[in-house]
Amino acid sequence: MSTSTRRSAPPTGSALAGETVIDRLVEANRHYAAGFTDPGMGARPVLQVAVVACMDARLDLHAALGLELGDCHTVRNAGGVVTDDTIRSLTISQRALGTCSVILIHHTGCGLEKLTEDFRHELEMEVGQRPAWAVEAFRDVDQDVRQSMQRVRTSPFLPHTDDVRGFVFDVSTGLLREIDPQF
């Protein structure tokens, strides 16, 4: 579908014939950009906090935490687990962009609770190469939050590890439950 034949209203519902989801997103961006005004803010988060959370589509972090654009850095991945790449992002966030606090958010009903490291072996059988990354599956969400807090607190790359707290977001109620790191 050419640009000239696209609909002018923001895309909703299913894609038009021949239109992909990405086409819909790009069209939505055009509508967004038409009314966009540069907020004039820098990359440093106003609240000096980094949020590490699962990529689950049910988590609207800004709404759940009362955050506005520019308030925080957000690092999301499968499970919200603290991996080497998460430490990389947090290190840049703290050392180059001024964050001092880290909030970790896992959630109920996470897909990683149903996976095992066998997932990597299945991928290897399918594509002929084992992924270099770990699945980071877990059975106990509370314990995984504790492990993630420990990884942040013990990283030699992070200068700010005093204000690190972990939570489980309940996808049914929208409430956060804080996890005691010393259980």
Side-chain angles (χ1 to χ4, degrees), residues 35-57:
F36 183 78
T37 303
D38 182 353
M41 60 179 66
R44 291 177 173 267
V46 173
L47 298 179
Q48 297 181 313
V49 64
V51 180
V52 177
C54 184
M55 65 186 191
D56 191 294

Side-chain angles (χ1 to χ4, degrees), residues 65-157:
L65 300 173
L67 296 167
E68 299 292 331
L69 181 67
D71 282 348
C72 71
H73 282 158
T74 306
V75 180
R76 296 184 79 157
N77 65 29
V81 296
V82 175
T83 62
D84 286 346
D85 195 57
T86 305
I87 294 294
R88 171 189 162 271
S89 293
L90 290 174
T91 301
I92 293 166
S93 178
Q94 287 189 1
R95 291 184 177 268
L97 296 164
T99 60
C100 302
S101 301
V102 178
I103 181 172
L104 305 167
I105 302 176
H106 286 31
H107 65 91
T108 58
C110 185
L112 282 188
E113 292 176 291
K114 296 173 181 64
L115 289 178
T116 67
E117 287 299 318
D118 288 341
F119 183 77
R120 289 177 67 224
H121 301 295
E122 293 165 5
L123 281 173
E124 180 181 18
M125 296 305 293
E126 180 182 329
V127 302
Q129 180 179 342
R130 182 179 293 183
W133 39 263
V135 174
E136 296 279 352
F138 53 86
R139 296 281 180 241
D140 182 336
V141 67
D142 291 17
Q143 184 55 34
D144 200 65
V145 171
R146 284 185 198 94
Q147 177 176 302
S148 290
M149 284 190 281
Q150 185 66 14
R151 286 179 176 172
V152 170
R153 288 185 173 141
T154 60
S155 173
F157 306 110

